[in-house]
Amino acid sequence: MAGGEAEMMQSKVSLRGVKKIYRGAAGEVTALNGVDLEIKNNEFICVVGPSGCGKSTLLNILAGLDRQTEGEVFVDGRPVDGPSGERGVVFQQYALFPWLTVRQNIAFGLHNKKMPKREIDELVEKYVRMVALEEFLDSYPKELSGGMKQRVALARAYAMNPSLLLMDEPFGALDAQTRAQLQADLLELWEEENKTCFFITHDVEEAVLLAQRVVIMSARPGRISRIVDVDIPYPRTQKTRLNARFTELKNDIWATVYDEYLEDRK
């Protein structure tokens, strides 16, 4: 087997020369240009960068919701050619069905998989416990706070048992305390469930708290500027922010992101 093929098979995610061009009435806009990235199985990756650098475009391509103009995208050695239950997606705006209860929202994808009702009920109960919403099983989204809605979205994604979890600014619209709690919940779920996580954030502190590696995107057209290893052991808590190494990494990553922002303004 050729070296490149062997490496791809060992990676959970493999992005090779990914380019994305949007064409519209105003002409062409290159959102991504030559993105190369390998992600290991069970790895937690956070992606940061200036606004408009193509972070969400990259996630949508991985999710199969959009398609690259050039390049190759593989998950588990197979090309991504559309959405899949193996790739769970959590967006910033919850994307819950307002006419369904918490129970029904979590179970929605499981019914589509034609699973037996008893198995669906067991999975719903398992994941609603994991996000501490047992008392709200029969509540509707309008009756929940923003943090609760995002917990439902997380539970729904996890219930589908995806091997890859794609998260686009999932905590960006929440208050600081709720955000801190959901970060803790996510870390606990990740360590327990061993999912591969691809997490987009504008918050450098959040990236350093969560990730094993932080991918820094350049200003548009988006490409990978740097990849920083976060050599802080797990388990991590909010007290990890007080660690001297945490501060050092945060400042280093922020300086690179800000340099990219300034480059985009030239």
Side-chain angles (χ1 to χ4, degrees):
M1 182 180 292
E5 292 177 352
E7 183 182 1
M8 183 184 73
M9 293 302 293
Q10 293 169 3
S11 299
K12 179 69 179 180
V13 175
S14 182
L15 302 165
R16 304 287 178 86
V18 173
K19 185 173 185 177
K20 178 62 180 180
I21 299 173
Y22 291 105
R23 297 179 173 89
E28 291 188 350
V29 174
T30 302
L32 299 169
N33 191 17
V35 175
D36 297 296
L37 180 65
E38 303 292 328
I39 302 175
K40 299 174 185 175
N41 196 38
N42 302 336
E43 190 173 16
F44 202 127
I45 294 288
C46 279
V47 183
V48 298
S51 295
C53 70
K55 300 185 295 294
S56 294
T57 296
L58 191 58
L59 182 141
N60 287 335
I61 289 172
L62 271 173
L65 302 174
D66 202 351
R67 188 166 181 82
Q68 68 274 19
T69 307
E70 296 179 14
E72 298 176 305
V73 181
F74 297 91
V75 175
D76 291 323
R78 298 186 297 273
V80 173
D81 55 9
S84 166
E86 287 299 304
R87 284 168 266 127
V89 186
V90 181
F91 296 105
Q92 181 175 341
Q93 297 303 322
Y94 321 126
L96 301 180
F97 299 112
W99 59 89
L100 299 181
T101 64
V102 167
R103 183 195 309 272
Q104 293 165 335
N105 264 287
I106 297 172
F108 183 81
L110 303 175
H111 286 296
N112 288 342
K113 293 174 74 171
K114 309 296 184 184
M115 294 176 64
K117 183 180 183 304
R118 180 176 177 180
E119 190 174 345
I120 290 174
D121 291 342
E122 289 174 353
L123 284 170
V124 169
E125 289 178 10
K126 173 183 176 179
Y127 288 103
V128 83
R129 280 197 307 271
M130 291 182 78
V131 296
L133 286 175
E134 301 99 310
E135 297 179 17
F136 299 91
L137 262 175
D138 296 310
S139 299
Y140 289 89
K142 68 180 180 181
E143 301 172 297
L144 306 177
S145 68
M148 289 176 176
K149 291 175 186 177
Q150 199 59 294
R151 288 183 185 185
V152 176
L154 282 169
R156 183 175 63 184
Y158 265 84
M160 291 293 290
N161 194 30
S163 60
L164 174 61
L165 192 59
L166 305 168
M167 309 182 76
D168 192 355
E169 296 266 2
F171 310 146
L174 304 176
D175 64 83
Q177 291 77 22
T178 302
R179 186 172 189 154
Q181 184 57 59
L182 287 182
Q183 288 167 349
D185 292 343
L186 178 60
L187 282 171
E188 185 176 343
L189 285 167
W190 171 68
E191 292 190 67
E192 182 175 331
E193 297 281 306
N194 293 320
K195 305 294 184 189
T196 305
C197 289
F198 184 90
F199 187 108
I200 291 174
T201 179
H202 276 98
D203 187 334
V204 171
E205 278 204 12
E206 181 171 68
V208 177
L209 180 67
L210 297 176
Q212 293 172 298
R213 289 191 295 158
V214 176
V215 174
I216 305 173
M217 299 284 290
S218 71
R220 188 164 43 194
R223 60 193 183 284
I224 294 176
S225 173
R226 286 178 64 200
I227 299 178
V228 178
D229 291 319
V230 181
D231 52 357
I232 299 173
Y234 294 90
R236 298 179 193 164
T237 68
Q238 294 302 318
K239 291 183 178 179
T240 302
R241 298 176 188 268
L242 306 177
N243 183 305
R245 180 59 176 156
F246 182 96
T247 302
E248 182 182 4
L249 286 166
K250 179 191 72 173
N251 291 342
D252 178 36
I253 293 168
W254 170 246
T256 301
V257 172
Y258 191 64
D259 285 346
E260 292 293 346
Y261 165 74
L262 293 177
E263 184 68 26
D264 189 39
R265 297 188 67 185
K266 288 182 179 178

